[in-house]
Amino acid sequence: MPVLKNQYRSDRVLQTWLTQNMPQDFRGEIDADLDALGAHAAHAWDEARARTPTQPILTRFDAVGNRIDRIESTPVWQRGAEIATRYGLVAAGHEARHGEYARCDQFLRVYLHHIASEFYTCPLAMTDGAATALKASANDALIAHAVPRLTSRDVSTCWLSGQWMTELAGGSDVGNTEAEAWQDGNGHWRLTGRKWFTSAVVGDMALTLARPRGAGPGGHALAMFYLETHAADGSWNGIRIDQLKDKLGTRELATAEIHLDGANAMPVGALDHGVRLIAPMLNVTRIWNAVGALASMRRCVALATAYAHQREAFGKRLIEHPLHAETLADMQAAFEAAFQLVFHLTHLLGRSECGQADSDEQACLRLLTPLAKLWTGKLAVDIASECCEAFGGAGYIENTGIPQLLRDAQVYPIWEGTSNVLALDTLRALGKTGVGPILRSVERCLQARRDSALPQALATAASDIRGSLLDATRWLETHGDDSSRLQAGARALAFSLARAVAAALLWRCAVASHAAGDARPGHALLRFLSCPLSHLSNNAFAPAFDLLDPA
């Protein structure tokens, strides 16, 4: 099996991005932490191969029959809080000292640590999202009480938060939420109902949606509630753990099905429009999802490439076989484009939160968040599948660790909104802003160093990127009055826009790298563009329903 190098020092794409986008003093300040996380990532991979995999264990009753619902985490998870606080995996994004680069600082750390964490980054994502949502809520009491704990760098005071939304009737359609909120005789709010998928029940608090008793149907009548998972005596706060989910992947992460049985809670804001209040949390967790998907891609490419340099077949190393090298290069090129998009998005978030984003940047943050999450989630699955294949039979054997990369990757297109949900969300955002902010953002990328002498291939690539975006604009104009056609094409539109923006950002990187004497980002761009950016078609619309026979 391949041996990984320091995952910070050996990541050429990350190093180039830092050089081109981050101030030198910023890089100097964070370098030691990133180096340590990169070394830990490599060590953790070797450590994981040397031990028997473990999963969380739920013990419902103690020896004399008392209900305790104790969850025992894996050894890696038991060290999770210490690493998260030492390296500021949540805190760094909320600290003012790096200004617009605070979120870049945070997500660079998350990117390096994600695979080694055994998805401990999942509750960290929700913790970050909860802090963000509470800060946006204007609830001064809760902000003062919870946010310092959620963003703490002290392992003795830090909190984890959950985001409990999914129910049997209300998954993506949270308007069907059935959990009920009511007031007891002392005026305290209580929550009753079933939450079907909770991935941070081991945390200290949660934000959740519930319908106040007597409120009408639909999403607008939901309220967002804050609750702490345990009472002062350490017992569960009206929470019963029904079971831990038996999942395809992310098995080290304790995902529970729970019942709320009179859990003590308090509304974060008004007793309606809770979806609007929780939206800042969803935006942040979608970016965490994209960063996690990117980290999985990087791990797959690194392992498959390292293996190709040492494995011999048919008389020479795999890397010396042209077709195998082509396959790996395609994976690398897609990863490089995705990297540019995801970390551009983290910078936009940082600029927005510190008040430096202009109106176009604010609109792009809104548009690119679902686009990046949608595209990187799908891409991570594709690259993980190619990685399994690149290892041949070893890629199908569990104790190599390679199948787990594929099983875990499948969660990225599902968590925080499926591809179709995100595509429709993109349509809603475009309905408010149009495609103009993206067009202008891409044009700014393509104007980078335009007076420099460029290889003809890069000049042609810029035209191809512009052409793809113009195709998307024309498609929207053509079908703007046909809601059925818009919805049916929303997924193709979303992939087209995501790929075009990623290509423009990679073009900007390639131009700067060319000036510095490095042709590799340019080669990655041309390879990425060898597949058409646009997934759209203006052919006559044939309804999908005609093809779908009942089982």
Side-chain angles (χ1 to χ4, degrees), residues 133-480:
L134 289 176
K135 289 191 328 189
S137 72
N139 187 321
D140 292 337
L142 277 181
I143 292 171
H145 176 67
V147 171
R149 293 171 168 86
L150 296 171
T151 59
S152 175
R153 283 182 179 262
D154 183 346
V155 71
S156 68
T157 61
C158 70
W159 276 9
L160 286 179
S161 176
Q163 169 194 305
W164 298 350
M165 295 175 62
T166 304
E167 302 185 10
L168 277 172
S172 297
D173 183 6
V174 295
N176 285 331
T177 293
E178 296 175 337
E180 184 181 48
W182 47 279
Q183 287 182 290
D184 62 19
N186 297 315
H188 298 145
W189 283 95
R190 304 284 181 172
L191 302 183
T192 303
R194 184 185 188 187
K195 294 293 180 179
W196 190 76
F197 199 99
T198 63
S199 285
V201 74
V202 296
D204 304 274
M205 60 156 283
L207 297 180
T208 187
L209 296 175
R211 195 176 307 280
R213 185 169 289 175
H220 68 279
L222 296 173
M224 182 169 78
F225 286 86
Y226 162 95
L227 65 88
E228 295 179 11
T229 54
H230 291 84
D233 63 1
S235 62
W236 285 102
N237 170 27
I239 297 168
R240 185 173 75 247
I241 312 296
D242 294 334
Q243 64 174 333
L244 297 183
K245 296 292 193 180
D246 185 12
K247 297 170 294 179
L248 171 67
T250 67
R251 289 178 173 270
E252 300 88 350
L253 165 61
T255 301
E257 182 177 331
I258 68 173
H259 266 89
L260 301 174
D261 187 12
N264 191 23
M266 63 181 70
V268 175
L271 296 178
D272 58 3
H273 297 293
V275 177
R276 186 183 302 163
L277 283 175
I278 212 166
M281 186 176 200
L282 295 176
N283 290 334
V284 167
T285 54
R286 284 174 175 176
I287 295 174
W288 277 77
N289 195 98
V291 172
L294 189 70
S296 288
M297 293 180 221
R298 159 64 181 162
R299 179 57 56 87
C300 289
V301 172
L303 288 169
T305 304
Y307 187 65
H309 277 89
Q310 66 190 47
R311 171 69 169 171
E312 290 188 5
F314 306 104
K316 54 186 175 181
R317 294 176 303 157
L318 290 178
I319 197 66
E320 296 173 315
H321 291 276
L323 182 55
H324 194 76
E326 284 286 311
T327 302
L328 296 179
D330 286 342
M331 294 163 63
Q332 174 71 24
F335 158 72
E336 293 198 29
F339 188 101
Q340 298 296 326
L341 177 60
V342 170
F343 275 96
H344 175 67
L345 181 59
T346 70
H347 192 193
L348 284 179
L349 178 62
R351 286 183 59 78
S352 175
E353 290 182 335
C354 70
Q356 295 186 20
D358 61 27
S359 58
D360 270 1
E361 289 174 318
Q362 293 278 12
C364 282
L365 175 62
R366 171 66 182 90
L367 287 162
L368 294 180
T369 297
L371 287 175
K373 191 276 183 190
L374 176 154
W375 178 51
T376 58
K378 285 291 191 185
L379 186 58
V381 176
D382 291 344
I383 288 179
S385 180
E386 285 285 7
C387 178
C388 286
E389 196 172 342
F391 277 82
Y396 205 65
I397 304 302
E398 281 292 344
N399 64 4
T400 65
I402 305 302
Q404 182 177 348
L405 293 168
L406 177 58
R407 288 188 285 103
D408 287 348
Q410 187 59 62
V411 82
Y412 299 124
I414 297 173
W415 274 351
E416 310 309 316
T418 62
S419 300
N420 287 354
V421 167
L422 292 163
L424 295 175
D425 185 39
T426 301
L427 272 189
R428 286 190 291 273
L430 286 170
K432 296 178 181 178
T433 67
V435 76
I438 286 181
L439 293 175
R440 290 187 289 272
S441 175
V442 164
E443 193 57 40
R444 283 193 292 272
C445 289
L446 299 180
Q447 293 297 325
R449 298 179 63 93
R450 61 178 178 172
D451 295 330
S452 301
L454 291 178
Q456 182 57 45
L458 284 181
T460 301
S463 297
D464 291 343
I465 295 166
R466 288 190 180 97
S468 175
L469 283 172
L470 289 175
D471 286 345
T473 302
R474 284 192 290 266
W475 188 89
L476 277 169
E477 291 171 349
T478 300
H479 303 291

Side-chain angles (χ1 to χ4, degrees), residues 26 92-107 350:
F26 168 83
H94 293 265
E95 293 168 347
R97 69 180 187 276
H98 289 315
E100 66 178 284
Y101 302 114
R103 288 296 190 174
C104 297
D105 177 15
Q106 174 192 20
F107 284 115

Side-chain angles (χ1 to χ4, degrees), residues 70-93:
R70 182 179 66 238
I71 298 174
E72 298 173 60
S73 299
T74 69
V76 170
W77 268 61
Q78 290 165 20
R79 302 193 297 267
E82 191 275 328
I83 293 176
T85 51
R86 183 199 308 174
Y87 294 107
L89 299 183
V90 174

